[in-house]
Amino acid sequence: MQKNILLLTLLFSVIIPLKAQKDYYFPGETFSSEIPSPYAYFGYHIGEWHTRYDRLVGYFEELAKTSDMAELHTIGHTNQLRPQVVLVISKNQNIQNLENIRTNHIKLADPKQPMPDVAKMPAIINLAYSVHGNEPSGGEAAILTAYWLLASQSDLAKEIRENAVILIDPAINPDGRDRHTNWANMHKGFPPVADPLDREHNEIWPSGRVNHYWFDLNRDWLPLAQVELQNKIAWYHTWYPNVVGDFHEMGTNSTYFFEPTKPFSSENPVVPRKNYEDINNKFATYFAKALDGIGSLYWTKEVFDNSYPGYGSTYPDIQGGLGLVFEQGSSRGHIQSSQRGDITFQFTIRNQLKISIATMEAGVKEREYMHRYLREFFQTGLNEAGKDRAKAYVFGDEFDESKNRLFLKLLLDHKIKVIENESNINVEGKSFKQGKSWIVPTSQAQYRMVRSMFEKVTTFADSVFYDASAWTMALAYGMPYAAQASVGSGAEVSSLPTQNQNFPADGKYVAYLVDWTDYFAPKFLHHIQKAGIHVETTALPFTSNTDQGPKEFPAGSLIIPTAFQKLSADEMKAAMKTAAEAAGQHVYATTTGFSTKGIDLGSNNISAVSQPKVLMLVGHGTSQNEAGEIWHLMDTKVGMPITKVDISLFGRVNLYDYNTLILPSGNYSSLSAAQITHLKDWLSRGGTVISLRSASQWLQSQEIVKEEYLKSENEKSPEFLPFGSRRDFAGAQAIGGSIYLAKLDKTHPLGFGYRNYELPVYRNSTLFFKPSKNPSNTPLRYTSNPLLGGYISPENLEKVKQSASVIVSTVGQGRVIHFIDNPNFRGTWFGTNKLFFNAVFFGDKM
Ligand SMILES: [Zn+2]
């Protein structure tokens, strides 16, 4: 007992005497004096402050300069231009020979190559920290791990340097990490304050968890919506590490978590059972030993999801390696009270350090086994592909070149083999045109990634999901595709097809015409509106004789008449050409307003497009992910500035300076009665509100709109529920994220630019709205058999069948466009983004 109390005091002691610091992290170890210690470099002991990212990189530069066993590689830059670095550590002979080691290692991922001699090959181990920027113990542990590995004289450090190449990524999310670092440091007290309510422990909005665009980078390994992960995945495929450690933090009252995760329910269906049942348990013994050695408690097997391929700990599992998620109970700040006493930053860093070392030790001891597994993974992928009835997937959108390019890029970034389609194919009522469609053979080393892109999964071992239960990327892109029983013999695609775009020759035209179907048409529209060009759009299709022959223009097509323009003909043409090039759009021109079919260009069904002036409410109470998705969409896909206003400043807003207000999901109860009156008045005089998910509930509660909900099954409890099963019951009724088929009214402005009546949508809430009482105001509703992929309880599936996905509520001269589902989810729902663009550009026509 006495001993236990002593141990606890040691573990949680608030301030560690400076002299004892080395003993705290590395008791009894000797270090080479040639390598600068963190204390010598930073001037403080690790854990006393949160280390700024530029200083962390500076230390790594210093290590690479002073040691011939380290090299610093820059793999890209973040949105805020911080370098993304990887510190490579191994014995000098390996560093000298690094390129040979790398090229030899990646042969393991290619079953066509002869098997290299694994006995001589070092383990490739990637330690990746702090993808969530406000989980900072990882980044600090990276500093200590690098120092230990280079300077320690211990046998273990020597063995690791001898038999492994260690790739240290100190912060996957440098921009978010610095946001939190500054927050924690600026509020540090002397003495530090452990009270969880202290400002130090409660960040403002947005938190350091997310990157520049408020994205969760630990969901982006599959979608690659963010530059950090685009850079990271490009780098990843140059190494195919055997082991990847992914270091996180969780709630302050928790201890430490390492894998195995919860069996079956949270595991990915394409990952070999061997990973979960054999390898994970092998590694777990090293982690247990490491934490037992310092008396730190931990847990395994209970929760944490390992199924969604966009996690940093799951993607490596689908690339022949072992991805490992680690979760440390957070001190979030320098010290914070917990149920077990005060948790210090040092304590959290030490656990991460010990697990980092244990990961390297396990990786080195299991080196040959992991090399053989890497080859076996890709070989068995090929074997399984042989048994798959689908021999290929054909895909391509005949009318949307930009979306095709985006999807092709995603496949190529994930090293999926794609070949040209050499014939016109009709299958399942869909047609795939030669030159506008491509084929993905299933028989390829990346077979398991091919499944993740195309397969729809609706049966599951369990009903509780921590996150998404569906991630079929072809559906997210709204990409027409079909399984094929044969492959074809087209050439392999090695780069994106060149973007064709035609622009009319000089001439005397009545109007220029642009089809709205292409994904980047809104970017073109924004650029010409910004240049001061008057633009119109059509509510009905027409066929026009253009400079490139007769062409049909569907509803939503843009008409730029040469009359009514303030710019000269030359100025206008120059501005349009620049916009067409920037957005990759085809521009047509016609010398007559008379259409060969459908309405003429002077029709009352053609109307002016007003330039959107958009304000989005953000800040405390609103969803930072959803707001970030909108900001990112408008920045990177349209190039249009939108004004982001903190809810607390809404009192200073004159809504009449804008025509569109975006309300992301969130809690708007802080708005005053006067502010709500202002909103109602502006709305009734013609304003457009675009509201997402729970924001619609708030509008309903304020009686700004009058739509009807369907109650979710959450509210219907069984008569008896064992206490121990309560979480599973709640989990089974939640909708973690799944994909549904909805029916689109293409005659509604919300449906402009869509060629299909049916559209996959993404839902991750149990908010169900009845279709509007006005029969024309539910432009998107679920079909009678809507589930395409993912888990949903049978009760909730019945509710979805009857419900609306988008409703438009008329409010005086204005309207509210309700998105019950998230059309911009994780920056990857290219298929439904156009609904959102339509709400922004054509909202006043709804
Ligand atoms: Zn995390």
Side-chain angles (χ1 to χ4, degrees), residues 131-132 135 209 218 248-249 327:
V131 61
H132 294 138
E135 298 172 4
R209 176 182 178 88
N218 195 36
H248 291 255
E249 292 184 6
E327 297 271 357

mmCIF file of all heavy atoms in Angstrom, residues 131-132 135 209 218 248-249 327, ligand 1:
data_model
loop_
_atom_site.group_PDB
_atom_site.id
_atom_site.type_symbol
_atom_site.label_atom_id
_atom_site.label_comp_id
_atom_site.label_asym_id
_atom_site.label_seq_id
_atom_site.Cartn_x
_atom_site.Cartn_y
_atom_site.Cartn_z
ATOM 1 N N VAL A 131 -1.825 14.279 -34.880
ATOM 2 C CA VAL A 131 -2.676 14.630 -36.024
ATOM 3 C C VAL A 131 -3.780 15.572 -35.555
ATOM 4 O O VAL A 131 -4.229 16.442 -36.301
ATOM 5 C CB VAL A 131 -3.263 13.372 -36.700
ATOM 6 C CG1 VAL A 131 -4.143 12.562 -35.781
ATOM 7 C CG2 VAL A 131 -4.047 13.740 -37.959
ATOM 8 N N HIS A 132 -4.210 15.382 -34.317
ATOM 9 C CA HIS A 132 -5.098 16.358 -33.679
ATOM 10 C C HIS A 132 -4.198 17.337 -32.919
ATOM 11 O O HIS A 132 -3.530 16.956 -31.962
ATOM 12 C CB HIS A 132 -6.095 15.657 -32.746
ATOM 13 C CG HIS A 132 -7.053 14.783 -33.514
ATOM 14 N ND1 HIS A 132 -7.434 13.541 -33.106
ATOM 15 C CD2 HIS A 132 -7.692 15.025 -34.696
ATOM 16 C CE1 HIS A 132 -8.279 13.023 -33.998
ATOM 17 N NE2 HIS A 132 -8.451 13.900 -34.963
ATOM 18 N N GLU A 135 -3.704 17.605 -29.162
ATOM 19 C CA GLU A 135 -3.307 16.392 -28.436
ATOM 20 C C GLU A 135 -1.779 16.387 -28.449
ATOM 21 O O GLU A 135 -1.137 15.635 -29.173
ATOM 22 C CB GLU A 135 -3.937 15.166 -29.114
ATOM 23 C CG GLU A 135 -5.462 15.260 -29.068
ATOM 24 C CD GLU A 135 -6.199 14.186 -29.872
ATOM 25 O OE1 GLU A 135 -5.546 13.293 -30.435
ATOM 26 O OE2 GLU A 135 -7.436 14.250 -29.912
ATOM 27 N N ARG A 209 -7.566 21.044 -32.599
ATOM 28 C CA ARG A 209 -7.761 19.705 -33.164
ATOM 29 C C ARG A 209 -7.665 19.722 -34.690
ATOM 30 O O ARG A 209 -7.145 18.804 -35.306
ATOM 31 C CB ARG A 209 -9.143 19.182 -32.746
ATOM 32 C CG ARG A 209 -9.522 17.825 -33.333
ATOM 33 C CD ARG A 209 -10.927 17.437 -32.878
ATOM 34 N NE ARG A 209 -11.377 16.188 -33.437
ATOM 35 C CZ ARG A 209 -11.173 14.985 -32.903
ATOM 36 N NH1 ARG A 209 -10.498 14.872 -31.768
ATOM 37 N NH2 ARG A 209 -11.614 13.894 -33.475
ATOM 38 N N ASN A 218 -7.532 13.385 -39.141
ATOM 39 C CA ASN A 218 -7.592 11.940 -38.885
ATOM 40 C C ASN A 218 -8.823 11.304 -39.525
ATOM 41 O O ASN A 218 -9.214 10.192 -39.186
ATOM 42 C CB ASN A 218 -7.570 11.635 -37.390
ATOM 43 C CG ASN A 218 -7.264 10.172 -37.127
ATOM 44 O OD1 ASN A 218 -6.480 9.559 -37.851
ATOM 45 N ND2 ASN A 218 -7.918 9.590 -36.118
ATOM 46 N N HIS A 248 -2.419 9.784 -30.169
ATOM 47 C CA HIS A 248 -3.531 10.691 -29.848
ATOM 48 C C HIS A 248 -3.619 10.946 -28.344
ATOM 49 O O HIS A 248 -2.892 10.359 -27.548
ATOM 50 C CB HIS A 248 -4.858 10.061 -30.285
ATOM 51 C CG HIS A 248 -5.036 9.974 -31.758
ATOM 52 N ND1 HIS A 248 -5.871 10.807 -32.452
ATOM 53 C CD2 HIS A 248 -4.481 9.144 -32.677
ATOM 54 C CE1 HIS A 248 -5.834 10.499 -33.733
ATOM 55 N NE2 HIS A 248 -4.998 9.487 -33.902
ATOM 56 N N GLU A 249 -4.618 11.784 -28.002
ATOM 57 C CA GLU A 249 -5.013 11.932 -26.592
ATOM 58 C C GLU A 249 -6.525 11.797 -26.507
ATOM 59 O O GLU A 249 -7.248 12.071 -27.463
ATOM 60 C CB GLU A 249 -4.597 13.298 -26.047
ATOM 61 C CG GLU A 249 -3.090 13.449 -25.941
ATOM 62 C CD GLU A 249 -2.671 14.765 -25.306
ATOM 63 O OE1 GLU A 249 -3.553 15.524 -24.830
ATOM 64 O OE2 GLU A 249 -1.453 15.045 -25.296
ATOM 65 N N GLU A 327 -3.876 6.231 -27.469
ATOM 66 C CA GLU A 327 -4.652 7.330 -26.878
ATOM 67 C C GLU A 327 -4.190 7.532 -25.441
ATOM 68 O O GLU A 327 -4.279 6.615 -24.624
ATOM 69 C CB GLU A 327 -6.152 6.988 -26.883
ATOM 70 C CG GLU A 327 -6.757 6.807 -28.262
ATOM 71 C CD GLU A 327 -7.298 8.094 -28.868
ATOM 72 O OE1 GLU A 327 -7.260 9.150 -28.195
ATOM 73 O OE2 GLU A 327 -7.743 8.039 -30.029
HETATM 74 ZN ZN ZN B 1 -6.993 12.323 -31.577
#
